[in-house]
Amino acid sequence: MAMDGRKKRGKIRRLNENLDMLIGSVIVNYLKCGKNCVCNKGEKHRKYYLSTKEGGKTNNLYLPPDAVKEAEEMSRRYKKVKTILQEISRINYETLKERHLTKGR
């Protein structure tokens, strides 16, 4: 059980290191501006958005170029947090099983 406690503390530390996160994905759209521009000859403008869901509705927030890397990193951290939570849940499951389901059997 002490080993499970150490493992869990390590996971919680990793969880805390990744809490600067967000649920969403960075997407890119290629657009035409409609003016007399190179985009009308095939070179479309690249625009980045943060795509999130709220209440079943998709929201896209425009990201200026200097915010793209930060948003991508925060999105990656969310995926790490999800994985870490699953690992903590597995540890908790095994601990609960060991404590309550194997005694006296």
Side-chain angles (χ1 to χ4, degrees):
M1 185 129 84
M3 183 62 156
D4 283 348
R6 275 196 299 272
K7 277 184 181 178
K8 189 172 171 179
R9 282 190 298 278
K11 304 280 183 207
I12 291 169
R13 189 173 45 257
R14 282 183 48 216
L15 186 65
N16 285 329
E17 292 167 357
N18 287 286
L19 289 179
D20 188 20
M21 54 89 180
L22 57 82
I23 300 171
S25 300
V26 174
I27 59 171
V28 62
N29 282 334
Y30 296 90
L31 308 167
K32 285 185 183 183
C33 66
K35 299 177 184 173
N36 188 14
C37 180
V38 295
C39 68
N40 289 309
K41 296 180 180 95
E43 283 188 50
K44 294 181 182 177
H45 301 285
R46 187 178 349 189
K47 301 288 182 182
Y48 291 92
Y49 297 87
L50 175 65
S51 181
T52 60
K53 281 198 185 249
E54 192 171 321
K57 184 179 178 212
T58 301
N59 298 309
N60 291 325
L61 173 70
Y62 169 74
L63 292 172
D66 61 334
V68 173
K69 283 190 189 283
E70 182 180 8
E72 287 173 333
E73 181 57 36
M74 292 173 85
S75 181
R76 273 192 292 278
R77 285 190 202 116
Y78 169 69
K79 291 175 181 103
K80 286 181 188 177
V81 164
K82 223 168 117 175
T83 299
I84 295 166
L85 287 173
Q86 289 170 340
E87 293 167 355
I88 290 172
S89 178
R90 255 184 259 126
I91 292 168
N92 290 340
Y93 173 84
E94 291 301 325
T95 301
L96 185 69
K97 187 169 95 173
E98 182 181 308
R99 262 194 229 147
H100 298 283
L101 302 177
T102 59
K103 291 185 179 185
R105 293 186 192 240

